[in-house]
Amino acid sequence: MKKILITGGKGFFSKRLTEFYKDQYEFIVTDKEELDIVDNEKVEEFFTQYRPDYVIHAAAIAVTDFCNKRPDIAQKINVDGAVNVARAAKRVSAKLVFLSSEQVFNGNENAGPFSEEDVAVPNTVYGANKLEAEALLKDIIDELWIVRFTWMFGLPERNNNMVNNILWDTLTSILKNEKIYASPHEFRGMTYVYDMIENFEKVFSLPFGTYHLGSINNMSRYEMVKHIFSSLGIEERINELVVEDTEKYSDNPRDIRLVTDKAKSYGIEFPDSGEAMRRCVEEYKIRLKQESGLLV
Ligand SMILES: NC(=O)c1ccc[n+]([C@@H]2O[C@H](COP(=O)([O-])OP(=O)(O)OC[C@H]3O[C@@H](n4cnc5c(N)ncnc54)[C@H](OP(=O)(O)O)[C@@H]3O)[C@@H](O)[C@H]2O)c1
C-alpha cells in the first residue's frame, strides 16, 4: 500500500480526499497542529520518521484577500513552507504533488483559457506565491507534479472544512433572501470537488510535470448562478435575486479558465462545470421549496 503524507490535511479538498481513498492508501494526515510546514526542523523530523512514498502538499493560505493584507504570512506559508516540504520530500526520496491554482493567471492581459505552456502573470499575492513556489520546487525536486486546480465547489459535510465556493455562496444568499451580483464578463473553470478527488489518484501515473486539472466551463459567472437556481429547481426566483452585474469586468473581461487537454491526453477527464453542478446538487438531494425557502 502506498504511503502518502498529506499537508493541510484537514482542508476542504484534503479531508474529503483522504476519506474517499482511506482503504486504498496509507495516509499520514497532517495539518497545522501536527506539522506546521513553516517549522522546518519539524518538517525534517516528521519526514524522517514517516518516510512517505508520496507527498501531497495541500497546505496553504488560500484566501486571496487575507494574502493581500498579510503578504508576510502568505509568503512564509505558501512559499517558504512549500520549500521546506519539497526539500524534506527530496531527502527521503518521496515523490511530490504540489497543489497550485488557476490564480497564477489572474494578471494576464490576454484572456484564457490558458495552457501549461502559457506564461502566467499573477496579480494577487496568493497567485504570485503559487507561481514562485512552483519555480522553486522545480529546482529542488525532479519527482514533482504541479497540478493547477480550477475553482472547486461543494457543500458542507459533518466534520469537514468549507471554503468559499460558488454553490455554497449562492445557496446561503438564497436562504438569506440576499441579492446575488454576478458578472457576465467573468469566466472561470468550476469543478465539483468530488470530480477532482475521483480523478486525483491518476496524477500518480502521469509523467512528472505541470498539469491543469478541472472542468471546462463555457458559462459566465452570471450564467452559472442562474444555472444553480435551475439545478435547485427554483428558476422562478432568478429575476427576484440574481442581478446581472454588467459593470464588473466590463472594461477588461476576466477569463482565467484553464486548458486541460494535457491531462485529458492521459485519461484525466472532467464533465463540464454545468453538468458537474447538476451532479453535485443531485447527490446532495437539495431542492428548495419556493414558498418556505426551506431545504427539503
Ligand atoms: N479550493 C479551491 O478552489 C482551490 C483552487 C485551486 C487551488 N487550491 C489549492 O488546493 C489546496 C487545498 O485547498 P483548500 O480549498 O482545501 O484549502 P483549505 O481548506 O484552506 O486547506 C488548506 C489547509 O492548510 C492548512 N494550513 C494553513 N497553514 C498551515 C501551516 N502553516 N502548516 C500546515 N497546514 C497549514 C489550513 O489550516 P487553517 O484552515 O487552519 O488555516 C487548511 O486546513 C491549497 O493549496 C489551495 O491553494 C484550492
Side-chain angles (χ1 to χ4, degrees):
M1 209 181 237
K2 279 180 191 150
K3 201 198 282 185
I4 304 177
L5 188 150
I6 186 157
T7 64
K10 291 180 187 153
F12 171 69
F13 172 72
S14 311
K15 180 89 191 301
R16 288 165 176 79
L17 177 89
T18 53
E19 184 57 32
F20 186 84
Y21 287 114
K22 66 178 185 306
D23 299 328
Q24 278 108 298
Y25 302 104
E26 180 188 341
F27 282 108
I28 303 145
V29 179
T30 71
D31 208 283
K32 270 199 301 244
E33 297 72 33
E34 301 79 19
L35 181 60
D36 181 345
I37 54 162
V38 172
D39 183 346
N40 190 35
E41 218 170 285
K42 189 82 200 279
V43 173
E44 288 290 338
E45 235 178 72
F46 219 90
F47 277 61
T48 306
Q49 185 182 351
Y50 289 100
R51 306 196 78 82
D53 305 309
Y54 294 83
V55 177
I56 300 172
H57 179 46
I61 296 287
V63 181
T64 309
D65 287 349
F66 178 85
C67 293
N68 284 337
K69 278 186 202 129
R70 292 303 308 265
D72 50 333
I73 299 178
Q75 180 80 18
K76 268 210 172 88
I77 295 171
N78 293 343
V79 182
D80 303 351
V83 165
N84 292 343
V85 168
R87 287 205 179 115
K90 164 87 178 167
R91 208 173 40 75
V92 299
S93 305
K95 299 173 175 65
L96 175 64
V97 187
F98 174 57
L99 305 195
S100 187
S101 163
E102 51 160 17
Q103 304 273 338
V104 296
F105 294 108
N106 243 332
N108 283 57
E109 297 225 326
N110 53 323
F114 297 104
S115 80
E116 292 84 350
E117 304 306 318
D118 287 312
V119 175
V121 185
N123 69 357
T124 59
V125 169
Y126 171 67
N129 286 165
K130 286 289 184 189
L131 194 62
E132 186 182 351
E134 287 185 9
L136 292 171
L137 266 49
K138 282 186 210 165
D139 281 342
I140 295 169
I141 181 165
D142 295 329
E143 295 185 307
L144 169 70
W145 297 277
I146 293 170
V147 290
R148 292 179 179 151
F149 284 180
T150 65
W151 196 21
M152 292 183 285
F153 61 82
L155 288 167
E157 291 170 49
R158 188 166 180 253
N159 287 329
N160 271 278
N161 199 16
M162 269 303 282
V163 289
N164 277 91
N165 70 78
I166 190 145
L167 175 57
W168 182 232
D169 294 350
T170 302
L171 205 44
T172 48
S173 295
I174 293 168
L175 294 174
K176 290 194 245 167
N177 275 317
E178 280 173 2
K179 290 215 186 294
I180 301 154
Y181 293 81
S183 171
H185 311 297
E186 183 179 11
F187 293 88
R188 295 176 76 173
M190 298 175 194
T191 307
Y192 181 24
V193 64
Y194 280 105
D195 284 328
M196 194 65 90
I197 287 169
E198 283 169 25
N199 266 315
F200 196 80
E201 68 172 343
K202 295 180 197 151
V203 169
F204 301 127
S205 325
L206 294 172
F208 298 112
T210 302
Y211 296 88
H212 289 176
L213 295 187
S215 290
I216 52 160
N217 183 15
N218 293 322
M219 285 185 261
S220 66
R221 189 177 183 126
Y222 170 63
E223 288 163 330
M224 178 52 90
V225 170
K226 290 198 297 180
H227 178 70
I228 293 173
F229 274 65
S230 307
S231 305
L232 294 168
I234 52 164
E235 292 93 332
E236 63 283 359
R237 297 197 69 194
I238 290 175
N239 287 342
E240 171 204 342
L241 287 178
V242 184
V243 182
E244 185 174 17
D245 190 348
T246 51
E247 285 294 301
K248 197 168 185 185
Y249 303 120
S250 61
D251 293 345
N252 189 13
R254 183 186 196 213
D255 185 347
I256 54 166
R257 288 175 293 179
L258 300 177
V259 175
T260 54
D261 292 353
K262 186 176 171 191
K264 197 170 170 187
S265 73
Y266 290 102
I268 302 188
E269 288 199 54
F270 292 85
D272 69 45
S273 298
E275 194 185 329
M277 186 61 73
R278 270 194 301 274
R279 177 186 159 206
C280 176
V281 168
E282 180 58 35
E283 284 186 356
Y284 283 82
K285 310 230 175 300
I286 292 179
R287 289 285 179 275
L288 292 180
K289 237 191 216 165
Q290 191 198 354
E291 61 275 20
S292 66
L294 290 174
L295 292 174
V296 292

